[in-house]
Amino acid sequence: MSDGSGVSGVSRRTAGAPAFEPYGVWTDLVGQDHISTDLVQAALGNGMTHAWLLTGPPGSGRSTAARAFAAALQCTTANEPGCGHCLGCRTVLDGVHPDVLQLATDQLSIGVADTRDLVRRSSMTPSSGRWQVLLIEDADRLTEAAGNVLLKAVEEPSSRTVWILCAPGRDDMLPTIRSRCRHLLLRTPPSTAVAEILVRRDGVDPIRAREAARAAQGHIGRAKRLATDDEARAKRSEVLALPSSLTDMGSALSAAQKLVDATISEAKRAAEERNVTETADLRLAMGYQEGSRKAVPGAAGALKDLETRQKKRATRMQRDALDLALVDLAAFYRDVLAVQLGAIGGAGGDVTEPIHDDQYAAVRKIAAAGTPEATLRRIEAVLECRKAVERSVAPLLAVEAMAVRLR
Amino acid sequence: MLVPMPAQAAAPSQLVLVVGAEELLVDRAVARIVAAKRAVDPETETRDLTPGNFNPGTFAELVSPSLFGESRVVVVRSAQDLAADDVAMLTSVLDGLAEEITLVVVHLGGVKGKALLTAVEKAGAARVDVAKVTKPTERIAFLREEFKAARRQITEEAARALLDAVGNELRELAAAASQLIADTTDDARTPIDETVVAKYYSGRAEVSGFTVADLAVDGRTAQALEQLRWALATGTAPVLITSALAAGVRSVARVASAPRGARPADLARELGMPPWKIDKVRQQVRGWTPDGIGTALLAVAEADAAVKGGGDDPAYALERCVVTVCQARGQGTGARG
């Protein structure tokens, strides 16, 4: 194990050791050199343990880090774990390595049944690699019962089994599970680092990349979407137009309706493409042929199951889309507050940067019309709306209540 | 206790098709056919088949002539759900039923299993259509028929009160009616009125969230709370009540913020509501101010969070919400409802 003194920005290795230079699978992990260093060392045998918990804000690269680590564990190149070009690395990144099981969910929770499968798998010996790796991407979505199923297996896994769990924060995990894991904390990647990878990896224009990186507040995937997908940019501008459109009760309610409708249509658009191909694939697998209604026994049931799953996924996608919009809104009022307090455009120069650079005019206008106290109350309203949506309050009702308070 | 029925039931045919969804009435129609057969031969045996226990072998045995020619009624229930093979079996015996066999096919009447329905009809079946009872007026008519069949009378108001108290389930209504008839045999000549019904039945069986929401939006606190208690006591889900309250407040807000002079038809199109609802909501809008609407919406949102697991006691959260909504009406105008 390393010395464990973790001042960010300062190398945690012994003095004089070179700073970590990303290579292979580690190049996609942005602004998290401290994590990469620890994981590379672990893969080399220094500080390896049987269970890992990777936490960090959404979009900071938890699953990227977890996958890179899994690749490093299965890597066959000596002294360079996670080289990115050996068979082990490539199969892990493609998701086809026989000794790496990834569990990600596109639904609201991970239940007991899925977890039992994982536990069974965890007691097996790796078939070709060095480790049996079990990777849960949304470990925070484990239900409490599912967490308890996992407990025993995480506590005392077979000698060659490694668990990698990812969650937004330590508190999202059962205390009994998190106490059995080695914990690594990813930080919010600085927007310069995010912009840099957009330019390098996706070939985005540098100015656009910087703007997108800042607007995405460190969420790499979101930054990429904002930089490359015009529809995502349009959606965001629509959301950010909401504060300026709140003049009276009627406009507040129709703005709320519009926001919810927009998230529904966005989620639907994203879901439909996947649903159609999924259904077609399953029909083919079940032996449905063009123009015939005959299939293998149980086909109708399997199709129905798929439909249920797709419906659950749609709920989750809509909630995620709405949550994203609300985060953007909160950041907008954060900019307003910064202007009101003189942190942006004040006499003493800019103390901080605006998140939504392109909305500066609207921000200034709203800042001039209100007090910092009112802005704080509005931020509170947005955050409470997020919480309400998470607690299954009807989305339209929650957003309407928010709009009423934002007026 | 039979409802007067169309004439075809009088002359029992060998092949009968009963079409309709109202279970009680279907049962009665079948019972009438069996009774007619029993009137001829008291030894008549009946067999009930459902898609679950329909077995082609057993069925063939049941419809084939028996050695001593005993009379038998074979009832095939929910024929629309029969499997394809069973349907083939059933249609194959339609012609040439043995004399002592009566086959009754019960069908829901929808698109499902339509082929069977036409086949049975083509084979010359006597068709009995069972009435659909969906509207409150139809239920009241049904109740009055029930009493008429027992040579008793019930006033319209009394029937309505009974409907309120017992609910919409036809079987329960019929049971309540026969109980009421049995309870009041002493003075069979006077029509049953509201006081008689109130003596045996009180309260309400079914209160929807919309009843509560309408009263709350009208600012009638006491009635709204009363109906809320009934709704909760009779098992209306709290979630449905908050969503009805939200819909109520929302429609007031939308109509209130629409231009005043707009025609109902235009408004209806713009707000996506039926025109009759616009008129109703316009009545409700009086007394609401933007601030009041805001207060009410916040209260409903809070209650919605509470009934979905955020609070300890959904009933309390709902009561508080209804009171807040009622008080929010008139907020800022000084007027009270």
Side-chain angles (χ1 to χ4, degrees):
Chain A
M1 283 282 263
S2 67
D3 55 335
S5 69
V7 185
S8 66
V10 178
S11 170
R12 297 177 58 184
R13 301 291 124 214
T14 44
F20 181 78
E21 194 56 52
Y23 63 89
V25 298
W26 306 105
T27 43
D28 281 346
L29 200 53
V30 183
Q32 312 288 358
D33 290 352
H34 61 298
I35 299 284
S36 307
T37 319
D38 280 356
L39 291 178
V40 168
Q41 286 303 318
L44 288 170
N46 307 323
M48 185 58 196
T49 183
H50 62 272
W52 296 77
L53 175 60
L54 302 178
T55 65
S60 58
R62 292 182 308 245
S63 356
T64 313
R67 259 196 299 275
F69 186 37
L73 289 177
Q74 307 292 10
C75 182
T76 51
T77 310
N79 294 326
E80 208 187 39
C83 63
H85 48 73
C86 71
L87 186 67
C89 284
R90 278 187 289 122
T91 46
V92 172
L93 294 183
D94 289 345
V96 293
H97 196 286
D99 296 322
V100 176
L101 187 65
Q102 296 184 25
L103 180 67
T105 188
D106 46 21
Q107 299 180 359
L108 289 172
S109 60
I110 302 176
V112 173
D114 291 334
T115 319
R116 288 233 163 88
D117 276 350
L118 275 184
V119 169
R120 202 170 308 126
R121 176 77 176 261
S122 77
S123 59
M124 292 180 186
T125 309
S127 58
S128 65
R130 286 184 296 152
W131 301 93
Q132 177 74 260
V133 180
L134 298 143
L135 200 170
I136 306 184
E137 277 189 21
D138 308 287
D140 55 310
R141 292 192 185 264
L142 286 165
T143 61
E144 199 176 328
N148 286 326
V149 168
L150 208 60
L151 196 56
K152 206 71 187 158
V154 171
E155 187 171 38
E156 289 177 345
S158 325
S159 55
R160 288 164 74 191
T161 296
V162 182
W163 288 91
I164 310 174
L165 311 179
C166 306
R170 264 172 70 85
D171 294 342
D172 294 319
M173 301 303 303
L174 286 177
T176 39
I177 288 195
R178 74 177 179 239
S179 67
R180 283 158 176 79
C181 297
R182 181 173 167 197
H183 175 222
L184 293 179
L185 175 65
L186 282 80
R187 59 178 179 152
T188 305
S191 57
T192 44
V194 176
E196 194 250 328
I197 193 175
L198 288 182
V199 173
R200 178 165 53 81
R201 189 185 61 188
D202 305 309
V204 178
D205 165 64
I207 295 172
R208 195 169 189 178
R210 214 175 50 228
E211 206 179 283
R214 238 191 284 156
Q217 303 171 64
H219 193 306
I220 299 162
R222 170 100 173 120
K224 183 183 170 190
R225 217 165 322 128
L226 283 178
T228 54
D229 182 354
D230 284 335
E231 198 157 333
R233 291 171 73 87
K235 281 269 154 58
R236 168 176 162 275
S237 311
E238 221 170 86
V239 168
L240 294 178
L242 185 135
S244 314
S245 72
L246 302 171
T247 47
D248 59 4
M249 181 59 65
S251 62
L253 292 187
S254 56
Q257 178 86 53
K258 237 165 71 188
L259 178 60
V260 173
D261 286 350
T263 57
I264 291 175
S265 72
E266 190 186 342
K268 222 185 225 162
R269 184 175 64 98
E272 219 131 85
E273 282 169 34
R274 283 173 68 183
N275 289 358
V276 170
T277 35
E278 267 178 6
T279 312
D281 285 353
L282 185 62
R283 286 180 69 90
L284 191 66
M286 284 293 170
Y288 282 103
Q289 274 160 8
E290 193 94 26
S292 120
R293 297 181 56 194
K294 282 259 187 275
V296 298
L303 276 174
K304 195 137 210 183
D305 279 352
L306 179 67
E307 216 173 276
T308 320
R309 272 208 309 282
Q310 288 172 341
K311 251 184 214 149
K312 281 190 188 158
R313 184 170 68 201
T315 315
R316 155 114 187 245
M317 283 174 119
Q318 196 209 326
R319 274 196 205 174
D320 287 356
L322 186 55
D323 196 63
L324 217 52
L326 292 175
V327 170
D328 277 349
L329 262 186
F332 181 92
Y333 284 112
R334 174 258 183 211
D335 285 356
V336 171
L337 188 66
V339 170
Q340 282 171 334
L341 297 177
I344 297 174
D350 287 359
V351 183
T352 177
E353 289 183 323
I355 292 171
H356 298 303
D357 217 359
D358 53 336
Q359 302 289 327
Y360 194 51
V363 166
R364 282 203 71 108
K365 214 168 132 199
I366 290 183
T371 61
E373 288 82 5
T375 308
L376 278 175
R377 269 200 299 278
R378 286 171 173 166
I379 292 178
E380 188 83 349
V382 176
L383 297 182
E384 267 173 32
C385 178
R386 278 186 78 191
K387 221 183 279 171
V389 171
E390 193 187 326
R391 286 191 186 150
S392 314
V393 171
L396 180 58
L397 184 57
V399 175
E400 278 172 345
M402 176 188 79
V404 165
R405 292 175 65 188
L406 290 181
R407 252 183 329 142
Chain B
M1 219 198 33
L2 300 173
V3 175
M5 263 290 144
Q8 68 254 46
S13 153
Q14 257 198 289
L15 183 59
V16 188
L17 181 63
V18 180
V19 184
E22 212 60 70
E23 220 181 292
L24 173 75
L25 300 181
V26 166
D27 283 354
R28 283 185 181 176
V30 171
R32 222 167 9 249
I33 295 159
V34 173
K37 288 287 172 196
R38 290 235 165 101
V40 181
D41 178 1
E43 300 286 295
T44 302
E45 178 196 10
T46 58
R47 290 294 294 264
D48 255 325
L49 297 176
T50 59
N53 66 8
F54 190 98
N55 178 325
T58 324
F59 178 72
E61 201 181 308
L62 284 174
V63 294
S64 54
S66 66
L67 187 56
F68 302 110
E70 306 103 314
S71 160
R72 180 186 296 144
V73 181
V74 180
V75 186
V76 182
R77 307 250 173 198
S78 311
Q80 72 280 355
D81 294 333
L82 281 179
D85 295 346
D86 298 341
V87 169
M89 178 70 218
L90 183 59
T91 40
S92 71
V93 304
L94 289 178
D95 297 327
L97 274 177
E99 209 180 305
E100 64 272 24
I101 307 292
T102 305
L103 180 59
V104 181
V105 179
V106 180
H107 197 283
L108 203 56
V111 181
K112 199 174 176 198
K114 186 116 196 219
L116 175 64
L117 190 105
T118 20
V120 176
E121 246 182 345
K122 266 212 186 111
R127 179 171 167 143
V128 180
D129 278 300
V130 164
K132 230 196 245 164
V133 182
T134 45
K135 295 190 196 115
T137 48
E138 287 169 357
R139 291 210 177 81
I140 286 174
F142 167 78
L143 270 178
R144 300 190 80 176
E145 284 294 329
E146 289 286 299
F147 283 88
K148 217 160 118 194
R151 303 218 174 91
R152 299 290 303 274
Q153 276 188 315
I154 183 166
T155 64
E156 173 112 19
E157 289 74 32
R160 199 178 299 279
L162 195 57
L163 197 61
D164 278 349
V166 177
N168 291 335
E169 177 56 43
L170 225 48
R171 221 174 261 284
E172 285 179 23
L173 278 177
S178 77
Q179 183 67 51
L180 206 54
I181 290 163
D183 284 340
T184 55
T185 41
D186 291 346
D187 42 3
R189 301 202 164 263
T190 45
I192 293 170
D193 61 11
E194 281 165 280
T195 48
V196 180
V197 172
K199 190 169 156 196
Y200 294 98
Y201 297 94
S202 66
R204 292 180 61 97
E206 286 159 34
V207 178
S208 77
F210 293 104
T211 320
V212 181
D214 277 346
L215 289 166
V217 170
D218 279 341
R220 284 149 65 183
T221 318
Q223 285 102 315
L225 281 178
E226 187 192 334
Q227 294 304 320
L228 173 64
R229 291 266 174 95
W230 278 121
L232 290 173
T234 52
T236 306
V239 184
L240 295 182
I241 301 177
T242 51
S243 67
L245 280 166
V249 176
R250 189 177 294 138
S251 51
V252 164
R254 290 172 136 202
V255 173
S257 54
R260 243 162 231 290
R263 286 188 307 135
D266 295 340
L267 261 185
R269 204 168 328 113
E270 204 184 305
L271 303 180
M273 294 181 194
W276 59 266
K277 199 168 171 202
I278 299 274
D279 289 338
K280 189 176 136 198
V281 176
R282 274 198 166 160
Q283 302 280 321
Q284 294 177 328
V285 163
R286 286 173 203 143
W288 280 100
T289 62
D291 284 341
I293 290 170
T295 313
L297 260 181
L298 289 179
V300 178
E302 202 179 302
D304 198 43
V307 300
K308 283 178 177 159
D312 293 328
D313 183 0
Y316 169 73
L318 282 172
E319 280 184 16
R320 202 177 123 99
C321 170
V322 164
V323 171
T324 315
V325 171
C326 289
Q327 283 172 353
R329 182 176 183 267
Q331 186 183 333
T333 62
R336 304 286 306 193

